[in-house]
Amino acid sequence: GTEIRTIRQALVLIGIEPIRKWASVWCLAGLNPGATPELATLSLVRARSCELIAERARHLDPSELFLVGLFSLLDVMLSRTMADALDNIPLSRTTADALVGRHNTERGILDAVIAYESGAWDNASHQATRAGVDRSLLPTAYTAALRWAHDVGQST
């Protein structure tokens, strides 16, 4: 089986139905300027944060980390367990393990980003260090990711 390593592959392999659900989340969010499209935006911010950290860490695959962040709220969006939400999505073992909560480097980076977004700075630093990533990357990556997600939102 083919493993998803790029966004294009994700679009081709996941099929239209899950993507339609994602698109509807983004559209509903867009139609509702008062209510922020929190989940969609949050998953984008996580995706970009993870990707930026991976780019600077050198030993990690930025595309794969982007997917880890992007899919990190799929269970919430689909109101299913993460294992169910990921069923039939041909992600790499590493990415799937990270998403269902098995500890690996990718999961550590996602945990660091999640801790950072909730203001748990010490925990975020601890998770980053544990994942073998320079914790000083977190504030820069997160800020850049927020700006990027905002720009993506403006362009739609």
Side-chain angles (χ1 to χ4, degrees):
T2 311
E3 291 179 347
I4 296 175
R5 292 194 180 271
T6 66
I7 299 304
R8 190 177 179 289
Q9 283 178 308
L11 295 175
V12 172
L13 291 169
I14 291 167
I16 197 65
E17 211 35 61
I19 290 167
R20 204 190 303 269
K21 287 185 177 127
W22 280 77
S24 60
V25 169
W26 265 281
C27 290
L28 282 172
L31 291 172
N32 218 345
T36 55
E38 283 167 345
L39 288 180
T41 302
L42 195 54
S43 63
L44 281 176
V45 171
R46 286 181 181 182
R48 186 70 177 137
S49 296
C50 289
E51 181 183 39
L52 289 169
I53 289 167
E55 280 173 7
R56 287 171 182 75
R58 304 259 185 274
H59 62 288
L60 296 161
D61 179 346
S63 302
E64 196 138 342
L65 260 299
F66 186 90
L67 290 173
V68 168
L70 188 68
F71 286 129
S72 65
L73 291 162
L74 192 63
D75 53 342
V76 181
M77 286 187 172
L78 300 180
S79 303
R80 295 162 73 180
T81 66
M82 185 57 86
D84 276 354
L86 296 178
D87 202 27
N88 299 322
I89 301 178
L91 296 168
S92 73
R93 165 59 59 87
T94 309
T95 298
D97 281 353
L99 288 167
V100 295
R102 292 194 190 97
H103 195 79
N104 57 21
T105 305
E106 289 74 6
R107 181 69 210 192
I109 290 169
L110 177 62
D111 285 342
V113 168
I114 291 170
Y116 192 87
E117 83 190 10
S118 65
W121 322 121
D122 290 348
N123 187 24
S125 292
H126 171 73
Q127 295 290 353
T129 305
R130 195 172 154 207
V133 168
D134 180 356
R135 62 185 185 191
S136 71
L137 294 175
L138 273 167
T140 325
Y142 199 78
T143 305
L146 282 172
R147 196 174 303 119
W148 177 82
H150 175 78
D151 292 345
V152 168
Q154 294 301 301
S155 67
T156 51

